[in-house]
Amino acid sequence: MTATLLQPADMTRALTRIAHEILEGNKGTSNLVLLGIPTRGVALAHRIAASLSAIEGGAPVPVGSLDVTMYRDDLMSNPTRATASTEIPVDIDGKTVVLVDDVLYSGRTVRAALDALNGLGRPAIVRLAVLIDRGHRELPIRADYVGKNVPSAHSERINVKVANIDGEDLVTISEKTEVGQSS
């Protein structure tokens, strides 16, 4: 059985709220850089950046991507993981970097992102924005900005779809045994 957690309008509201929270915490968009974790984190980072610019009426916020594949601690058990590109739009030294991902679960992807970020510069502050926080942390990591907290079982899967990748905006939850799950 699959249940819908967020419809398109819900996703837009959650991402807009995250943008407002980032603006409040950063006191504007100066020295701000968003780095999405591929694949859907990058798309969400672009949408948050568009909201930030629309709210502030200013210059676009730099958005990039941070591939964490080679920093993951599960490469031995999943060696066929495809790599994505890392694109850092500006020098991150002294900047506030907001890492953006679709789902926060164990915290291991975020740990890998922090390791990947180490080799790219020294940000003043690193924050984390996620669309869904489902709990079950294995590492002491928490998100600074959360679209929706979703208590879930280990046997469940959160599936995030974004329009420019999947053709629609939608977040669902289902049992992991169901066929056709992508995230």
Side-chain angles (χ1 to χ4, degrees), residues 75-148:
L75 284 177
M76 297 300 270
S77 62
N78 191 5
T80 59
R81 183 179 298 273
T83 59
S85 64
T86 291
E87 297 173 12
I88 308 301
V90 295
D91 180 11
I92 61 170
D93 287 342
K95 302 274 195 316
T96 297
V97 172
V98 178
L99 297 173
V100 181
D101 204 3
D102 55 354
V103 178
L104 177 58
Y105 184 35
S106 67
R108 293 186 181 279
T109 298
V110 177
R111 189 227 23 102
L114 292 170
D115 287 349
L117 199 57
N118 262 345
L120 300 172
R122 185 167 163 72
I125 299 170
V126 178
R127 301 279 188 231
L128 176 61
V130 297
L131 181 60
I132 303 292
D133 183 344
R134 64 176 291 189
H136 303 291
R137 225 64 89 238
E138 295 172 5
L139 299 170
I141 290 174
R142 70 166 178 83
D144 299 284
Y145 313 107
V146 177
K148 184 173 180 74

Side-chain angles (χ1 to χ4, degrees), residues 2-58:
T2 299
T4 299
L5 298 173
L6 296 176
Q7 296 281 352
D10 303 321
M11 282 180 65
T12 298
R13 273 192 298 278
L15 294 172
T16 301
R17 184 171 31 77
I18 288 171
H20 279 281
E21 291 173 0
I22 290 170
L23 285 172
E24 185 177 328
N26 197 58
K27 296 176 178 50
T29 58
S30 102
N31 290 320
L32 185 64
V33 179
L34 301 182
L35 296 179
I37 299 172
T39 297
R40 286 162 187 81
V42 176
L44 296 174
H46 280 284
R47 288 175 64 175
I48 292 169
S51 289
L52 290 167
S53 294
I55 295 163
E56 284 289 284

